[in-house]
Amino acid sequence: MDTIAQLQQYIDQSSRIVFFGGAGVSTESGIKDFRSVDGLYHMKYKYNPETILSHSFFLNHTEEFFEFYMDKIVQPTQNAAPNTAHTVLAQLEAQGKLSAVITQNIDGLHQMAGSRNVLELHGSIHRNYCMKCGAKYSLAETLAHGDIPHCKCGGLIRPDVVLYEEPLNDTIITKAIHAISSADLLIVGGTSLTVYPAAGFLDFYQGNKLVVINLDNTSYDSKAALTINGKIGEVLGQLAL
Ligand code: APR
Ligand code: ZN
């Protein structure tokens, strides 16, 4: 049986599907990923991008943090639209077959495609808050508050994203582990599975139908019942829903 037919059969047989994804889900929407050869982390900057996107760099080099964050993380999402991968996952949820999308992405494209139960392990550029009074700001409001956004109370407005050196949100962790441990089919796509603790959540899957859809090989391929090395939007676009 060819891989798409096998994926179709798994999906037809399942009713508690969980999708776990990363930056590779958004590349077909025009947003670069991090570790592919043309990804963000292979570009030359004064500092290593993973240093820039860290808690200590945010505190000690706030202006340079926001310059990189706005230019390389926020700006590329401004004109991005959900691609077929996002819309197919939203359809599977609407059909009652998919229980959760768990994403490492912060671009909000799953919600834009209509997905409702989206667990954002690394937060979202669309949620911002004042570090002094807690006031919440949308992305548009934050962008309107200058290069280093400040609240009317004088506090610094920061994105609700998980920077390196910062913990993930406990509630999101609990929900993600619960969803994965009760999934009958776990589809992993568009992620190098190199960042922890996110990648480690896959170990809570108790079923025997792990599917990995990724351009490059991953460390979980050997545990997968099915691996498809292809573009996830193109692959999911071939499904009959
Ligand atoms: N279809 C399928 N796979 C794709 C596609 C595509 N269209 N485009 C890229 N890929 C694959 C790449 O081969 C790569 O293995 O997606 C993966 C993307 O991996 P990364 O760039 O490492 O992104 P991700 O796994 O999401 O990174 C995890 O690292 O820096 C942190 O917080 C950041 O959330 C991010 C985390
Ligand atoms: Zn404030």
Side-chain angles (χ1 to χ4, degrees), residues 22-24 27-28 33-36 41 50 104-105 122 164 190-195 213-216 230-232:
T27 54
E28 291 163 81
D33 66 14
F34 296 99
R35 296 176 183 83
S36 286
Y41 291 167
E50 290 176 296
Q104 298 167 90
N105 297 346
H122 294 159
Y164 281 98
T191 175
S192 61
L193 294 173
T194 48
V195 170
I213 306 171
N214 207 59
L215 279 180
D216 293 327
K231 286 189 163 189
I232 186 158

Side-chain angles (χ1 to χ4, degrees), residues 129-135 137 150-157:
Y129 62 91
C130 171
M131 296 173 75
K132 198 167 161 195
C133 73
Y137 288 85
H150 281 88
C151 175
K152 40 190 174 302
C153 80
L156 183 62
I157 301 172

